[in-house]
Each structure stands twice: as C-alpha cells, then as structure tokens.
Amino acid sequence: MKFLVLCLGNIGPEYADTRHNIGFMVADYLAAKFDAPRFEIGRHAFTTEFKHKGHTYVLVKPTTYMNLSGKAAAHWLSTLKIPTENMVVVTDDLALPFGKLRLKGQGSAGGHNGLKDIQATLGTDVYARLRFGVDANFPKGRQVDYVLNPFSADELIELPTRIEKAGDAVLAFGAMGLERAMNIVNVK
C-alpha cells in the first residue's frame, strides 16, 4: 500500500527553521530515519519515498509555498494514483500548545491557508491531517511574523523529540489506519 505524506512549509533558506516549516522538518526527519533517497525536484514539490513494514510512504514537500499547497496535493495524488484517504497532511497549528499533536480525518482548515487551499483544490475537507502545535505566543496582529520566525531556544531543546513523535504518528497512520492511529496520537 502507498501513502502520500504532504508535509507543508515554504521553500527557501529564509523559511528553513521557522514554525510554519514544521511539515518540512518532519519530512526531513523521516527521510533521514529511513535512508530515503535524496529529495528530487518534481512538479510542484520535492519528493522522495521510503518503505516501512510493507508500506511505501511518499514524502512531498510542496514548492508552491504554503498558500498554494493544494496544487501539490492534487498533482501527486493524481500522478501516483493514491486515494485521498491514503494522504496525511503534516502542518503547524497555532491553536495547539507547542509540540502537541492532533490527528484528524476531516474538519475545517482552522484559519490555516495551506489547509484552506488543499480543501478548495480537492473539493473536500475529508482527508487526514496531523497538526503540530506551535502555540500562539504572539501579540495581536503578529501571527504571520510569529509563524515565519524560528522556534525559541526553549522550544529548540524539545523540538527533536516532538518531531520524532510526529514521524511516529505518520507511520501509525500508515500501519494502523486513521481511527486506530488517532487513538494513539490524540491521547492527552
């Protein structure tokens, strides 16, 4: 079975270590852990893949920038003939405390422009999304500055462990299916 892991972020060195790029960080972690081939540039994304427990995971890091992530989702789902129910989107979430994970199978975009574009492009809100909490520790009106800035020194200490847990959540989605993975990932 094949799974599409759409890891959201923005391309370019100025965005590399920002909160908004947590999806790219999870993709890089999984690629390194499983010795995946180097990411290759393809249409609308950098991609690579790895195998784990009989499943193939295709890691996709869109080159469309966050607000046009739907282009990458639609293209790679179609090109690889992967059904939407075998896609999980990894993204940042301001509504969750730092490092908290939430796996869901459908719902609103929650104000996230990347998810809004995916939903508009695919015409559905029924797809798995793994939200990685980045907290909302910013003054009113400074949301964009906050998500486009690096993690704090305190957060950086915990970040590798939290990224590993997000990677485990992606693997659980593939190995167990959405419902069982939610029961593991979404524990308080």
Side-chain angles (χ1 to χ4, degrees):
M1 191 170 297
K2 193 175 270 194
F3 296 93
L4 187 76
V5 186
L6 188 72
C7 300
L8 301 190
N10 289 312
I11 59 170
E14 67 272 28
Y15 300 112
D17 297 319
T18 65
R19 292 176 177 88
H20 225 20
N21 270 35
I22 195 64
F24 282 15
M25 293 176 203
V26 172
D28 291 342
Y29 164 78
L30 285 167
K33 177 175 178 156
F34 291 100
D35 293 320
R38 178 185 294 250
F39 279 92
E40 293 184 8
I41 184 69
R43 186 157 183 207
H44 303 306
F46 291 102
T47 65
T48 190
E49 65 181 55
F50 65 89
K51 293 189 182 326
H52 179 65
K53 294 189 177 180
H55 300 303
T56 299
Y57 295 81
V58 180
L59 300 172
V60 176
K61 298 192 315 187
T63 56
T64 56
Y65 291 97
M66 187 67 75
N67 295 355
L68 297 174
S69 297
K71 279 184 178 182
H75 173 77
W76 289 100
L77 285 169
S78 172
T79 298
L80 299 173
K81 297 178 175 39
I82 296 175
T84 306
E85 59 266 19
N86 283 10
M87 175 180 75
V88 61
V89 177
V90 182
T91 188
D92 60 306
D93 191 324
L94 289 166
L96 294 173
F98 169 74
K100 178 120 177 117
L101 300 174
R102 180 71 62 225
L103 180 63
K104 292 178 64 178
Q106 70 180 62
S108 79
H112 193 286
N113 289 333
L115 295 178
K116 282 182 192 175
D117 191 64
I118 291 167
Q119 291 178 194
T121 304
L122 299 181
T124 184
D125 70 350
V126 181
Y127 60 88
R129 72 281 317 263
L130 177 64
R131 295 177 183 249
F132 187 109
V134 295
D135 216 341
N137 189 16
F138 57 90
K140 186 173 176 149
R142 306 300 296 187
Q143 175 177 334
V144 172
D145 292 335
Y146 180 74
V147 297
L148 294 179
N149 272 301
F151 289 96
S152 72
D154 287 344
E155 290 169 336
L156 286 173
I157 294 167
E158 300 259 343
L159 192 59
T161 302
R162 306 300 174 114
I163 289 172
E164 182 179 0
K165 287 181 188 285
D168 290 346
V170 167
L171 298 174
F173 169 76
M176 302 176 189
L178 178 63
E179 295 300 322
R180 285 180 60 204
M182 285 170 55
N183 289 334
I184 294 168
V185 174
N186 296 341
V187 293
K188 301 236 184 260

